[in-house]
Amino acid sequence: MKKILLILLALLTLVMGTAYADKNRFKDATYNFQKIHSIHLSSISNQLSPANNTNMPATDPGVKVEIALRNALLKRNVQLMSGEEAFGVIHQADVSVTIRKLGSGRWWKAPWDEEVTENEKTIAKDEHGHDVVVYIPVQRYIHHDGEWQYEAYADLDLTLKDMDTGKIVYTVQDNRVRGGTTDFEGMLGRICGDFAKDVTPEMYR
């Protein structure tokens, strides 16, 4: 059973591609997050590198981040407002976002040969002259053709401040990479979803 599970996990990794995540978070344990029902979006800073042959940053990244964040908070019954729509509304908190990375990349992996060890089945005789099955380890080389490798990436900083005091009550740097896909928008949605879950009242989680 354990062997089957390991095989399934290996196959799943091949299908979904490799993944990497690094998350640094601070949450003020004394702050009353239960009171948050409306958040003001004060700024979105874009620090994306320019596009090139291997790096394809998102177009309109600020718009994509605001939409993803707004949708994630709305699912927790919390409003996100920016610009003129925020005037005259009482907000409990203010959020600012820095986009370090958001997009997809690709690179060419040259052809390569892989050395593997396989157990080759053969028939031998035991001391009584009976046929027995034995397995002999054999070294083989598998040739892999060159191919394009793809990945999606997202790296965001989100800082939440109390609207009345200006005190920072929550910060997170969420950096994620997944190989074998270019769906950075799905990754962005998960980052915003985790943020919304962390800073909204318990009843909406």
Side-chain angles (χ1 to χ4, degrees), residues 128-140:
H128 304 292
H130 301 140
D131 290 342
V132 293
V133 177
V134 295
Y135 293 89
I136 302 173
V138 177
Q139 300 295 118
R140 299 190 188 278

Side-chain angles (χ1 to χ4, degrees), residues 101-186:
K101 294 179 182 179
L102 185 64
S104 60
R106 70 170 189 170
W107 67 93
W108 177 254
K109 186 171 184 178
W112 80 99
D113 293 322
E114 178 185 9
E115 184 180 5
V116 298
T117 301
E118 297 178 349
N119 290 321
E120 188 174 89
K121 179 180 177 180
T122 187
I123 303 297
K125 300 289 187 181
D126 63 14
E127 65 272 19
H128 304 292
H130 301 140
D131 290 342
V132 293
V133 177
V134 295
Y135 293 89
I136 302 173
V138 177
Q139 300 295 118
R140 299 190 188 278
Y141 289 91
I142 300 176
H143 177 75
H144 299 272
D145 294 329
E147 59 183 5
W148 285 105
Q149 300 284 319
Y150 295 89
E151 69 177 13
Y153 51 79
D155 186 357
L156 273 68
D157 291 351
L158 297 103
T159 301
L160 190 75
K161 297 180 180 180
D162 180 78
M163 204 67 179
D164 294 329
T165 65
K167 178 184 177 183
I168 294 176
V169 296
Y170 182 93
T171 63
V172 64
Q173 180 182 359
D174 201 333
N175 180 17
R176 307 187 188 192
V177 180
R178 179 172 291 279
T181 181
T182 58
D183 181 23
F184 64 86
E185 293 195 47

Side-chain angles (χ1 to χ4, degrees), residues 12 20 25 30 33 38 50 54-55 59 61 83 96 103 106 109 112 114 133-134 143 152-153 167 169 189 195:
L12 185 61
Y20 165 84
R25 188 189 75 150
T30 66
F33 288 90
S38 180
T54 59
N55 175 48
T59 56
S96 59
R106 70 170 189 170
K109 186 171 184 178
W112 80 99
E114 178 185 9
V133 177
V134 295
H143 177 75
Y153 51 79
K167 178 184 177 183
V169 296
F195 169 80

